[in-house]
């Protein structure tokens, strides 16, 4: 066989089909792990094509399962392929693929949510953040149960330039439920605009590549599936710490059908809440009667910058937790109610 990058392209030898692998190892998709197998190699090739040029690249595939996308990645002529699979039942089938591509495949039996991605690739692949993305790609047909927590975790890694982004602006091509894919790419004014839209788009260029119909999977999920491509931005659109942006965005979308000031109020303790909410919105120059999904990225940036300034002036502000305040009030009411008298006063106040 020709050396990588020289001469003929890499080709896998004849192998059992994915369907045969599933029968051979008696593999069954587990509902509790929200597993769905993609058997059509034309579709797996199409997913891999969205990642861009993979010849001689280093790729990490998340949750390869029976190995459909794995075959398409190897056929693209990658230098090295790291497979991270949580379900031990798939390891023997993946080892068969590894033997068919000597020296190219490394299999890790582990959980992607805890795997140390900063040690996944050779150090010589590192690039400066301002440079073009490194020859590293993350690809995965993610189980629905893990897709949202995983992308939030990776977006935090993008913000901090650690984990798989210690090597530079590593690109990702991942699958999500169609609705989640729409949220990730939703524009201001869209009914799908959400916390996920802001968190993803302020850190990455996010592209909804194409939709795979549910019937292409085994077993067939109740929803269609979106293939989404992420490229981290050189400069985030909101230049504040990830935790601060997440807190502001989460608060705004807490009451997505109400005016945005209603969610922004939850950033502040009850004592002085109205005054501080007005102060924040005036400083940020945001119309309090806009709905959360109508706010633009620049308006979210202004809100985050203004909130940061207020937190710098009052460090106790950032650790304030609205839900905890509600819980404490509920407990206090319960204790007062057991004595009888203060509960009557509460009723009078409500009247």
């Amino acid at each position: 066989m020709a050396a990588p990058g020289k001469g003929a392209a890499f080709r896998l030898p004849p192998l059992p089909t994915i369907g045969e692998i599933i029968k051979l190892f008696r593999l069954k998709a587990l509902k509790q792990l929200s597993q769905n197998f993609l058997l059509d190699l034309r579709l797996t090739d199409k997913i891999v094509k969205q990642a861009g040029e993979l010849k001689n690249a280093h790729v990490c595939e998340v949750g390869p399962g029976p190995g459909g996308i794995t075959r398409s990645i190897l056929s693209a002529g990658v230098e090295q392929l790291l497979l991270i699979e949580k379900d031990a039942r798939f390891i023997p089938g993946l080892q068969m693929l590894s033997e068919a591509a000597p020296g190219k495949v490394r299999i890790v039996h582990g959980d992607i949510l805890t795997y140390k991605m900063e040690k996944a690739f050779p150090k010589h692949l590192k690039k400066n953040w301002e440079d073009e993305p490194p020859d590293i790609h993350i690809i995965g047909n993610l189980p629905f149960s893990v897709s949202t927590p995983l992308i939030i975790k990776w977006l935090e890694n993008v913000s901090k330039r650690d984990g798989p982004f210690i090597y530079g602006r590593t690109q990702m091509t991942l699958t999500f439920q169609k609705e989640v894919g729409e949220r990730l790419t939703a524009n201001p004014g869209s009914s799908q605009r959400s916390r996920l839209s802001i968190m993803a788009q302020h850190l990455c260029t996010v592209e909804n590549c194409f939709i795979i119909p549910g019937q292409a999977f085994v077993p067939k999920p109740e929803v269609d599936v979106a293939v989404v491509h992420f490229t981290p931005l050189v400069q985030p659109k909101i230049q504040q710490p990830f935790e601060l942006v997440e807190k502001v965005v989460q608060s705004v979308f807490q009451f997505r059908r109400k005016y945005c000031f209603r969610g922004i109020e939850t950033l502040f303790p009850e004592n002085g809440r109205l005054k501080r909410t007005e102060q924040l919105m005036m400083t940020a120059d945001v119309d309090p009667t806009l709905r959360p999904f109508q706010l633009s990225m620049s308006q979210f940036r202004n809100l985050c910058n203004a909130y940061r300034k207020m937190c710098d002036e009052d460090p106790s502000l950032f650790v304030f937790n609205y839900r905890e305040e509600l819980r404490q009030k509920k407990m206090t009411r319960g204790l007062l109610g057991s004595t009888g008298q203060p509960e009557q006063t509460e009723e009078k106040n409500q009247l």
Side-chain angles (χ1 to χ4, degrees):
M1 189 189 296
K6 296 176 186 175
F10 174 80
R11 289 188 187 279
L12 283 168
L15 287 165
T17 66
I18 300 299
E20 288 166 348
I21 291 277
I22 289 169
K23 284 179 186 172
L24 180 65
F25 295 105
R26 296 178 180 177
L27 301 172
K28 188 181 177 185
L30 297 179
K31 196 171 183 181
Q32 63 267 35
L33 295 179
S34 60
Q35 291 173 339
N36 302 94
F37 304 148
L38 190 54
L39 309 186
D40 187 337
L41 292 183
R42 289 169 303 176
L43 283 172
T44 60
D45 284 348
K46 194 175 176 184
I47 291 171
V48 170
K49 199 174 178 182
Q50 300 304 318
E53 179 56 63
L54 293 184
K55 192 165 178 61
N56 301 332
H58 288 245
V59 176
C60 170
E61 186 188 355
V62 184
I69 294 177
T70 314
R71 295 183 187 211
S72 295
I73 295 170
L74 287 169
S75 297
V78 298
E79 178 76 18
Q80 284 287 319
L81 175 56
L82 168 64
L83 303 175
I84 301 175
E85 179 54 66
K86 187 179 180 180
D87 191 335
R89 298 174 305 142
F90 296 120
I91 302 298
L94 296 173
Q95 283 171 337
M96 186 185 285
L97 270 176
S98 177
E99 288 160 14
K104 281 184 176 285
V105 181
R106 182 158 60 99
I107 302 167
V108 171
H109 177 214
D111 187 344
I112 188 63
L113 286 167
T114 55
Y115 183 72
K116 302 289 184 191
M117 288 290 283
E118 53 268 53
K119 296 178 181 176
F121 304 104
K123 287 181 181 176
H124 74 265
L125 296 172
K126 279 188 181 182
K127 286 199 174 183
N128 293 326
W129 195 260
E130 296 74 23
D131 295 341
E132 286 297 303
D135 270 347
I136 295 172
H137 299 259
I138 298 171
I139 299 174
N141 174 28
L142 305 177
F144 295 154
S145 60
V146 79
S147 60
T148 302
L150 184 57
I151 195 59
I152 288 290
K153 178 181 187 290
W154 277 341
L155 288 170
E156 183 171 4
N157 289 145
V158 171
S159 175
K160 295 176 179 176
R161 302 182 186 182
D162 60 12
F165 307 97
I166 202 167
Y167 302 91
R169 296 185 296 121
T170 301
Q171 296 178 81
M172 303 181 283
T173 308
L174 307 167
T175 62
F176 298 88
Q177 288 183 56
K178 183 185 173 186
E179 189 180 317
V180 177
E182 288 170 349
R183 284 181 201 158
L184 284 162
T185 54
N187 293 318
S190 163
S191 61
Q192 294 285 24
R193 185 81 160 170
S194 67
R195 171 182 75 119
L196 213 47
S197 318
I198 310 303
M199 297 311 295
Q201 293 170 35
H202 105 84
L203 290 163
C204 299
T205 299
V206 191
E207 182 190 357
N208 199 334
C209 304
F210 66 97
I211 303 297
I212 305 174
Q215 61 259 34
F217 294 86
V218 178
K220 177 182 175 293
E222 293 175 6
V223 294
D224 294 337
V225 172
V227 177
V228 184
H229 184 76
F230 301 81
T231 306
L233 295 165
V234 174
Q235 287 291 345
K237 291 178 181 171
I238 304 172
Q239 296 193 24
Q240 294 294 350
F242 184 86
E243 293 83 1
L244 185 141
V245 178
E246 189 174 40
K247 185 178 182 185
V248 171
V249 173
Q250 217 162 16
S251 297
V252 171
F253 279 102
Q254 194 156 199
F255 304 101
R256 62 173 291 113
R257 295 183 186 279
K258 296 182 184 288
Y259 293 145
C260 64
F261 80 83
R262 181 66 190 89
I264 290 167
E265 282 183 327
T266 66
L267 289 167
F268 304 107
E270 190 173 28
N271 185 19
R273 176 169 289 155
L274 186 59
K275 187 180 175 185
R276 282 175 147 180
T277 302
E278 287 174 352
Q279 181 190 339
L280 176 62
M281 303 215 70
M282 283 179 68
T283 307
D285 192 23
V286 172
D287 180 350
T289 63
L290 288 172
R291 312 283 178 183
F293 59 87
Q294 294 176 307
L295 297 182
S296 67
M297 188 64 76
S298 62
Q299 286 171 318
F300 273 105
R301 180 177 63 238
N302 291 351
L303 286 169
C304 290
N305 290 344
Y307 180 64
R308 171 65 185 268
K309 193 177 176 187
M310 293 172 82
C311 288
D312 287 345
E313 291 166 1
D314 178 3
S316 70
L317 200 53
F318 185 69
V319 295
F320 167 71
N321 185 312
Y322 177 71
R323 291 181 184 276
E324 181 60 25
E325 184 186 70
L326 281 182
R327 197 178 70 83
Q328 294 287 349
K329 277 177 75 176
K330 209 170 182 181
M331 283 175 63
T332 306
R333 279 179 187 160
L335 289 169
L336 293 174
S338 63
T339 65
Q341 186 58 42
E343 194 171 18
Q344 286 180 352
T345 310
E346 180 71 21
E347 284 176 4
K348 282 179 185 175
N349 288 340
Q350 287 176 355
L351 289 166

